Amino acid sequence: MKYSIKDVFDMLGEDALKISEVKGGKESIKVEGFKVYKRSMRYATFYQKGCKCAVCGKEGTYFQLDSDGHGGNIENRRHFNLYAEDGTLMTKDHILPKKWGGKDTIDNFQTMCKDCNEAKGSQYECVIDGIVAIPQDNPEKCKQFVSL
């Protein structure tokens, strides 16, 4: 079942969406009989930064309730994933990858489609004034990421 962005944000509530980092708490709501945790940096990123890919501009237009990826039906949990009209999964990307010291805070997240996020990977050495360094292993592959 598809859910509108507005409907999901209304279900989660602004208190859960205006967070800058996840600090404890497993407050949840029931959707289709499943437990859905309200606090998620992914949801907060989509709410605060928008639903468009920072690289290619593809836009997430609907949410779908999917397995939580942590054991399926364990604890009867699910989460909302954001998708573009063509079915592309939208993701939360670390601007400065954790591998290079990036933090799990809203200031270090941006929305990306799965394809751009996978192409970016964690090969960047630094971010300076919003410019992401090109990986040395394959600069042609990632030229599009120079001016995020």
Side-chain angles (χ1 to χ4, degrees):
M1 177 174 180
K2 293 181 179 181
Y3 293 87
S4 76
I5 292 168
K6 181 186 181 322
D7 286 346
V8 170
F9 288 166
D10 286 348
M11 280 189 256
L12 297 171
E14 279 194 354
D15 289 346
L17 297 168
K18 288 188 173 181
I19 58 176
S20 59
E21 61 186 310
V22 173
K23 292 182 180 175
K26 298 282 186 180
E27 185 182 353
S28 64
I29 57 174
K30 285 278 189 178
V31 181
E32 296 181 30
F34 295 101
K35 183 188 330 184
V36 176
Y37 290 137
K38 291 176 68 169
R39 292 187 176 277
S40 159
M41 291 309 296
R42 213 163 32 84
Y43 303 150
T45 300
F46 299 147
Y47 182 78
Q48 294 180 40
K49 304 283 184 99
C51 297
K52 277 188 181 180
C53 177
V55 176
C56 72
K58 187 174 283 193
E59 187 166 7
T61 58
Y62 68 91
F63 281 102
Q64 190 169 300
L65 197 61
D66 293 331
S67 169
D68 71 0
H70 299 286
N73 281 326
I74 294 176
E75 294 186 51
N76 203 30
R77 286 191 317 201
R78 295 287 185 269
H79 67 239
F80 286 109
N81 276 326
L82 180 63
Y83 293 93
E85 279 304 311
D86 67 359
T88 301
L89 178 67
M90 304 303 290
T91 66
K92 165 193 66 128
D93 169 68
H94 286 83
I95 296 168
L96 178 61
K98 289 178 78 168
K99 174 180 179 177
W100 301 108
K103 304 292 183 204
D104 285 332
T105 62
I106 198 69
D107 293 338
N108 191 42
F109 291 136
Q110 63 189 349
T111 301
M112 273 193 181
C113 72
K114 184 178 182 208
D115 295 335
C116 288
N117 198 341
E118 287 178 355
K120 177 184 175 227
S122 62
Q123 301 304 309
Y124 298 94
E125 294 184 10
C126 62
V127 174
I128 302 170
D129 294 330
I131 306 299
V132 179
I134 298 173
Q136 298 303 307
D137 64 337
N138 189 354
E140 288 301 310
K141 175 182 172 190
C142 298
K143 275 186 177 176
Q144 63 187 335
F145 295 106
V146 173
S147 61
L148 280 177

